[in-house]
Amino acid sequence: KICPEWKLHEKAAAWEERQRHLYRRFSSWFFTEDSQVYQYYYSSSGTRVPGFPLVILKALHLPQLSEAEERTLLALFDSIYDDSRPFGGFQHVKVENMLYMLHGLITRGRADTARTLAAITIRDIMASGFFAEEYNHEDGRLLPSGVRPSVFGCALLINTLWLINGSPLIGDE
């Protein structure tokens, strides 16, 4: 989107075509016909590796998802989400993973769930005692990890606060 601002219209067109190409390949790389979804696809071998669910669920933010892909992702979300567990049951909670997933939930008609998970995230960041790069949990214990203190934990706290309060910076329904 910056190319037109810099009057680089030919480059903008090339990048837009590249984006369309990647979106066309997205489904075949990460989704299988039996409704499985993967984080990693190795083009040299065709191998897929599951990865971390929260990273996969960032894809809910993509507007190009087919109905089947959306159903697959929401089924994955529903299989993990538990509002009685730390971070709603999700592990490897990082700012970009959580925020893309929350925005995807909102755009897919699950704003109430997204706001509940945002509130859980705020609660658990504060209870952890750290602004961390990543958050995990085990047996109900919060496990901040990675760089500590980290601006990423602050950013996640601030953005989830904005989200549940309907900030125009995030988008309100």
Side-chain angles (χ1 to χ4, degrees), residues 1-20 23 61 63-64 100:
K1 295 190 179 215
I2 193 76
C3 288
E5 295 294 322
W6 289 353
K7 310 285 189 255
L8 301 171
H9 300 291
E10 288 180 25
K11 287 189 183 245
W15 280 112
E16 288 169 1
E17 178 52 37
R18 180 75 176 145
Q19 180 186 35
R20 284 190 294 276
Y23 280 131
H61 187 62
Q64 297 85 351
Y100 277 119

Side-chain angles (χ1 to χ4, degrees), residues 73-88:
L73 289 168
L74 290 173
L76 175 61
F77 174 85
D78 292 337
S79 74
I80 298 166
Y81 178 64
D82 179 346
D83 63 9
S84 69
R85 296 184 62 212
F87 292 101

Side-chain angles (χ1 to χ4, degrees), residues 94-146:
K94 291 187 169 191
V95 63
E96 71 278 3
N97 301 338
M98 183 61 83
L99 292 178
Y100 277 119
M101 184 183 71
L102 291 172
H103 289 284
L105 289 169
I106 290 168
T107 61
R108 297 185 188 287
R110 294 199 179 183
D112 289 342
T113 301
R115 286 192 175 98
T116 299
L117 184 51
I120 290 167
T121 300
I122 293 165
R123 176 199 69 197
D124 294 339
I125 289 172
M126 297 309 297
S128 78
F130 283 99
F131 289 125
E133 178 182 8
E134 181 175 316
Y135 297 93
N136 292 291
H137 55 90
E138 183 178 303
D139 299 324
R141 290 181 315 127
L142 298 169
L143 303 170
S145 60

